[in-house]
Amino acid sequence: MRAEILMPTPDAIRRAAALLRAGELVAFPTETVYGLGGDATNAAAVAAIFAAKGRPALNPLICHVADVAAARPLARFDARAEILATAFWPGPLTLVLPRAADCPATAAVSAGLPSLAVRAPAHPIAQALLAAAGVPLAAPSANRAGRISATAAAHVLAELGDKVKLILDGGDCAIGIESTVVGLTGEQATLLRPGGLATGDIEALIGPLARPGAGPAESPGMLSAHYAPRLPLRINALHPEGREGLLAFGPHAPSGFAAVFNLSERGDLAEAAHNLYAGLRALDRDDLDGIAVAPIPAAGLGVAINDRLRRAAKPPSA
Ligand code: TXA
Ligand code: MG
């Protein structure tokens, strides 16, 4: 199979929705990263998502819905969940909530857990696809497990071109880094993954979030190395050494090196998040033997950028 890339015309959306209803997988853009979508209520489709990515079965998926109303049959919203969904949906925020009693999402979406991750994406193509498909869409990032997320249709083709029938091309993802994941299954709200919505915006509404360390309470997907290029990554590097490429940040990046990708010459963290995965892909070259990454301030979206870089820098077995 070789995936077809289609511009998101009404016809293409209808075809994508028909494929999804038939249990096939479709890759589609969201404002964060591209998703590999399948009907969340169809066990075979969900199994195909895990198989296509090579994703461990213990790592649950996010269920995408159009809005809060569409999420209610899936998960139980408490007061905190209502506040956050009202403030930030549609948008780059995922809520991990208790599964509803008759939750139609197949158990594998939750990896057997009693919780379900739900998110309403803001991207108009994702919204059009959800409306046309009429089912919640389980959709992890459209990359092979452990690899860099896709922020352009060409990245999806490179990662999963032989595993998916159709890729809807929405151009570059505006935010470029995955959604923020907040756990609301217990009394203490927990930051399971920093992401495209700054933590401070969430804490302003529901108070401080706990940050779990490594351990069973952590989001299952965050336990191992992730978001990784093929080349080793050296973070907080001041300049490249040997045959390293340089992922730079800001106006004072060292010059005179052949392989440099500046995440944001004006030192803007939102721009850096938008460029992060494309930059890592661009420097993941056969003629280099590593990627040096400049220090990135850990404020606002910089928290999520540093989180991804730390994980990408871990050896694969970690
Ligand atoms: O921006 C995004 O969130 C993108 C787009 C496509 O929506 N999706 C995405 O999905 O990043 P994925 O599967 O690559 O990451 C989902 C994260 C993983 O870290 C997973 O462990 C966590 O959410 N997660 C999902 N369900 C969970 C649950 N029930 N409990 C705890 N963590 C959960
Ligand atoms: Mg992912």
Side-chain angles (χ1 to χ4, degrees):
M1 192 201 317
R2 173 84 176 165
E4 195 180 351
I5 300 188
L6 288 183
M7 296 311 286
T9 60
D11 252 8
I13 300 280
R14 267 193 297 278
R15 255 187 68 200
L19 285 170
L20 288 165
R21 280 195 303 269
E24 304 276 358
L25 307 186
V26 171
F28 63 95
T30 82
E31 73 279 27
T32 58
V33 298
Y34 277 73
L36 173 65
D39 177 355
T41 69
N42 179 329
V46 170
I49 293 175
F50 280 93
K53 284 192 56 125
R55 183 177 179 113
L58 58 73
N59 191 359
L61 307 178
I62 298 172
C63 222
H64 295 68
V65 292
D67 52 24
V68 188
R72 288 192 200 287
L74 298 165
R76 292 207 308 273
F77 281 68
D78 65 8
R80 301 166 301 182
E82 297 286 352
I83 289 170
L84 294 181
T86 302
F88 300 119
W89 279 6
L93 172 67
T94 295
L95 301 175
V96 175
L97 304 174
R99 284 173 68 101
D102 293 312
C103 177
T106 191
V109 174
S110 299
L113 297 169
S115 59
L116 185 73
V118 285
R119 161 163 127 80
H123 199 294
I125 299 172
Q127 283 285 336
L129 187 62
L130 284 163
V135 289
L137 296 179
S141 52
N143 53 278
R144 281 175 290 129
R147 294 260 309 147
I148 307 171
S149 297
T151 53
H155 302 167
V156 182
L157 189 69
E159 292 283 326
L160 297 167
D162 55 343
K163 309 277 192 217
V164 63
K165 277 224 165 98
L166 180 58
I167 302 168
L168 291 174
D169 189 347
D172 286 354
C173 298
I175 294 176
I177 202 159
E178 300 83 352
S179 63
T180 302
V181 182
V182 174
L184 295 175
T185 54
E187 207 148 286
Q188 174 63 58
T190 306
L191 179 66
L192 296 174
R193 177 177 73 181
L197 179 64
T199 311
D201 294 351
I202 298 166
E203 294 185 319
L205 295 187
I206 63 163
L209 299 174
R211 280 124 173 111
E218 202 183 7
S219 193
M222 302 306 278
L223 288 174
S224 54
H226 231 91
Y227 314 103
R230 272 175 294 261
L231 290 179
L233 216 68
R234 195 164 60 83
I235 52 178
N236 297 317
L238 295 179
H239 50 75
E241 283 165 13
R243 280 151 49 86
E244 281 181 336
L246 174 66
L247 193 65
F249 176 78
H252 307 299
S255 55
F257 298 96
V260 179
F261 186 106
N262 198 327
L263 291 172
S264 172
E265 274 174 20
R266 53 195 166 91
D268 180 86
L269 288 164
E271 183 179 34
H274 173 81
N275 288 328
L276 176 66
Y277 293 138
L280 285 171
R281 276 176 199 280
L283 292 174
D284 200 9
R285 292 172 14 185
D286 289 342
D287 60 332
L288 299 174
D289 57 18
I291 301 173
V293 185
I296 316 271
L301 285 188
V303 175
I305 296 173
N306 279 292
D307 170 82
R308 302 304 188 270
L309 289 170
R310 265 196 309 277
R311 293 176 197 283
K314 272 199 215 172
S317 57

